């Protein structure tokens, strides 16, 4: 399963890129609004830092404006995937962009039928928002299970990108179902890396090593 970071924070992107776990990035207007740098500067810089797919979102709501934005965003780097909202005008844009060889990610997916339509339009990725579904009293992971099964049944090449992840258990569940990608806020990647028993174990190994050094007058 691929891991994308769901952030527009350059410091976090550089930090976690160094641990070798980051396969790509997703951003959205809200994430960009939290940063102090100019959004275009951020988006261009992300495409330089990250080799894998960098998902940048359009803000237009008509097909023509989305296409114009998509063409501009793809000049930022050759790894750009254009995020398009799940609305009828968006599906039209996805179909055209797919014919032009431009990769797309249909975002704001909340049902398996929406994912099916996005895949049929030629989306490279669909992004179901599981945390927001859970918040609304639905079972987000059940929607992931349905979409993965539908895409497998009909051999769609569209990848299921699990978005709006709220905790590490979401990641394990998505991996068990066989989702292709999860996109994580940096703090969740941080939580996945740590375990109190790892810290406790290391502390006692280091203390015991001090005893070895003393006993043998050994300086390492
Ligand atoms: C990713 O592409 C989405 O924009 C993101 O995961 C949404 O997450 P949120 O529901 O925490 O805002």
């Amino acid at each position: 399963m691929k891991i994308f970071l769901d952030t527009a924070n350059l410091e976090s992107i550089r930090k976690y890129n160094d641990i070798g776990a980051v396969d790509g990035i997703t951003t959205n207007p809200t994430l960009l609004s939290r940063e102090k740098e100019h959004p275009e500067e951020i988006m261009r810089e992300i495409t330089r830092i990250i080799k894998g797919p960098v998902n940048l979102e359009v803000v237009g709501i008509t097909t023509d404006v989305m296409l114009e934005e998509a063409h501009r965003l793809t000049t930022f780097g050759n790894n750009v995937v254009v995020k398009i909202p799940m609305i009828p005008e968006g599906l039209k844009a996805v179909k055209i962009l797919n014919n032009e060889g431009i990769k797309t990610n249909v975002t704001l997916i909340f049902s398996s039928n929406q994912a099916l339509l996005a895949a049929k339009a030629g989306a490279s990725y669909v992004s179901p928002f599981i945390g927001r579904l859970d918040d609304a009293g639905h079972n987000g992971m059940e929607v992931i299970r349905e979409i993965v099964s539908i895409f497998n049944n009909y051999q769609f090449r569209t990848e299921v990108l699990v978005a709006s992840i709220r905790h590490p258990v979401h990641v394990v569940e998505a991996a068990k179902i066989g989702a292709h990608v999860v996109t994580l806020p940096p703090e969740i990647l941080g939580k996945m890396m740590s375990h109190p028993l790892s810290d406790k174990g290391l502390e006692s190994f280091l203390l015991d090593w001090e005893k070895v050094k003393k006993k043998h007058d050994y300086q390492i």
Side-chain angles (χ1 to χ4, degrees):
M1 184 174 64
K2 284 171 270 189
I3 294 180
F4 290 0
L5 269 192
D6 194 25
T7 185
N9 184 277
L10 294 173
E11 200 183 318
S12 300
I13 292 172
R14 289 197 185 94
K15 174 176 163 189
Y16 287 113
N17 192 35
D18 286 347
I19 68 160
V22 177
D23 299 301
I25 299 291
T26 52
T27 64
N28 64 38
T30 304
L31 294 170
L32 284 161
S33 76
R34 293 183 189 147
E35 304 303 322
K36 60 179 185 318
E37 300 97 327
H38 191 281
E40 188 166 323
E41 195 185 304
I42 296 175
M43 292 190 277
R44 287 181 184 277
E45 183 60 12
I46 299 174
T47 65
R48 287 191 280 265
I49 303 171
I50 298 292
K51 298 274 170 286
V54 174
N55 291 256
L56 306 177
E57 188 158 341
V58 298
V59 288
I61 51 167
T62 64
T63 305
D64 285 348
V65 176
M66 284 188 235
L67 290 175
E68 202 178 300
E69 280 185 76
H71 292 139
R72 191 172 135 63
L73 290 171
T74 51
T75 64
F76 292 179
N78 57 13
N79 50 350
V80 170
V81 175
V82 183
K83 281 179 84 177
I84 305 272
M86 179 61 215
I87 53 176
E89 293 78 3
L91 292 183
K92 276 192 226 165
V94 168
K95 184 167 185 260
I96 294 167
L97 292 168
N98 183 44
N99 287 335
E100 291 175 3
I102 294 176
K103 290 191 171 168
T104 55
N105 170 354
V106 179
T107 188
L108 291 166
I109 296 259
F110 292 94
S111 74
S112 1
N113 276 332
Q114 288 181 319
L116 175 60
L117 294 176
K120 287 183 73 74
S124 317
Y125 301 90
V126 289
S127 290
F129 280 27
I130 61 165
R132 294 192 195 185
L133 276 167
D134 289 355
D135 292 345
H138 301 285
N139 184 342
M141 205 52 76
E142 207 36 58
V143 175
I144 299 300
R145 201 182 306 280
E146 285 176 5
I147 299 171
V148 168
S149 148
I150 292 166
F151 284 10
N152 285 342
N153 285 347
Y154 298 101
Q155 286 96 45
F156 280 112
R157 292 172 65 189
T158 307
E159 295 191 35
V160 181
L161 190 164
V162 184
S164 184
I165 283 191
R166 300 276 195 258
H167 48 72
V169 177
H170 272 155
V171 182
V172 177
E173 290 300 318
K176 281 176 10 191
I177 292 169
H180 305 86
V181 193
V182 285
T183 189
L184 309 175
E187 55 276 18
I188 292 183
L189 188 55
K191 284 184 185 168
M192 283 165 65
M193 269 187 283
S194 61
H195 195 285
L197 288 177
S198 305
D199 298 341
K200 199 171 163 220
L202 178 62
E203 197 186 331
S204 79
F205 282 158
L206 294 180
L207 280 174
D208 289 340
W209 188 245
E210 286 304 314
K211 293 179 202 157
V212 172
K213 279 164 67 183
K214 218 177 232 170
K215 190 166 150 190
H216 299 283
D217 193 22
Y218 186 45
Q219 292 311 318
I220 272 193

